Amino acid sequence: MSPSQETRVKLLEGALRTLTEQGIAKTSARSVAAAAGVNQALVFYHFGSVDELLAAACRYGAEQSVSRYRERFEEVGSLSELLALGREIHAAEQGFGHVARLGQLLAGAQTHPALGPATAAGLDLWIVEIEKVLRRVLGGTPFGEFTDPAGLARAVAASFVGIELYEGVDAEGAGSALAALEQLGLLVGALEELGPISQRAVRQYLRRSSRQER
C-alpha cells in the first residue's frame, strides 16, 4: 500500500471512529484528522470535503463489516439459520459500536446530502447477501413461487435496522422483536418439513389467495 493509500485508510478509519465516539455533530475535519493522526488539510486533499469523506467512510465501513460475514452467509441453509445469524451479527456490530454509528449516519443524512446515498449503498451490501440466502433457502419451498427475494431482503434488512435503533430506547422491546422474527423463521421451517401432499396443499392455497388479490 502506497503512503497516499495509507493516509486515505487512516482518514476513513478516523472518520468512522469519530462518528462512533463523538457523533455526527462533533465530526469535523479537525476531529477526524486528530483521530487519524494526520494533518487536517489532508482531509480536503484526499476527499474534497468532510461530507465526501463521511460518504466514503460509510461505504468503507460497510464493506469491512459485510466481508467478515460473507462466508457465514454462504453456509446458511434455512430461514431460521439466517435469522440466528442476524441476531449474532446484531450483537457483534453493537459491541463494535457500529449500531450507534449507523444511527449517527441516518441522523446525519437529513442535513448532509452525501450521506443518504452512501448509507443506502452500505445497507445494499447487506441486502445483496441476504437476497442470495433467501433465493437459495426458499427456492425449493412452497414460498419460493410467491415471494420476491429482492423485496423480502430489503424488508429483513429494514427490520434489523429498525430494531437496532429501537434498542436504544427500549432494549426489552427490541429483544422481543428479534424473538418474534425467529419464531417466524421456525414457522417457515415447520412448513418446509411437511410432506409433498401437504406442501402441494399450501401451494394451492397460496395460488388461490394470490388470484383473489388481483
Side-chain angles (χ1 to χ4, degrees):
M1 185 182 297
S2 69
S4 178
Q5 289 173 319
E6 288 181 1
T7 300
R8 283 181 62 87
V9 171
K10 285 181 180 178
L11 286 168
L12 292 170
E13 293 179 347
L16 294 174
R17 191 158 58 250
T18 304
L19 273 172
T20 303
E21 296 173 359
Q22 301 184 44
I24 188 72
K26 294 184 179 180
T27 298
S28 63
R30 177 175 296 183
S31 61
V32 170
V38 301
N39 188 290
Q40 168 177 342
L42 292 172
V43 170
F44 304 99
Y45 175 78
H46 286 281
F47 296 96
S49 69
V50 174
D51 278 8
E52 289 302 322
L53 167 58
L54 291 177
C58 176
R59 291 187 289 267
Y60 172 81
E63 177 57 42
Q64 293 296 303
S65 293
V66 173
S67 65
R68 285 197 294 271
Y69 298 103
R70 280 203 173 95
E71 290 185 2
R72 298 288 305 281
F73 277 116
E74 292 173 0
E75 295 169 357
V76 170
S78 69
L79 186 58
S80 296
E81 289 179 15
L82 174 61
L83 293 171
L85 177 58
R87 183 183 277 270
E88 179 185 332
I89 292 172
H90 168 77
E93 293 295 291
Q94 185 180 52
F96 290 136
H98 296 173
V99 173
R101 188 173 76 207
L102 176 60
Q104 291 297 317
L105 288 168
L106 290 171
Q110 306 303 312
T111 53
H112 298 255
L115 285 187
T119 303
L123 290 172
D124 278 345
L125 294 176
W126 291 103
I127 290 168
V128 165
E129 299 302 322
I130 295 170
E131 183 180 345
K132 288 178 185 176
V133 173
L134 291 174
R135 289 187 182 280
R136 185 169 68 249
V137 303
L138 296 179
T141 73
F143 304 102
E145 183 180 342
F146 303 96
T147 56
D148 170 22
L152 187 55
R154 291 188 178 279
V156 170
S159 296
F160 271 93
V161 169
I163 289 170
E164 287 171 353
L165 298 177
Y166 182 41
E167 191 167 37
V169 296
D170 184 359
E172 184 176 346
S176 296
L178 279 171
L181 284 176
E182 290 177 347
Q183 290 167 358
L184 178 61
L186 290 174
L187 176 61
V188 172
L191 290 172
E192 290 175 359
E193 295 297 322
L194 295 175
I197 294 176
S198 297
Q199 287 205 11
R200 187 159 56 248
V202 171
R203 283 191 173 91
Q204 289 173 349
Y205 173 81
L206 291 173
R207 288 186 184 120
R208 285 198 303 273
S209 298
S210 178
R211 286 195 295 269
Q212 289 171 1
E213 291 176 358
R214 292 171 185 166

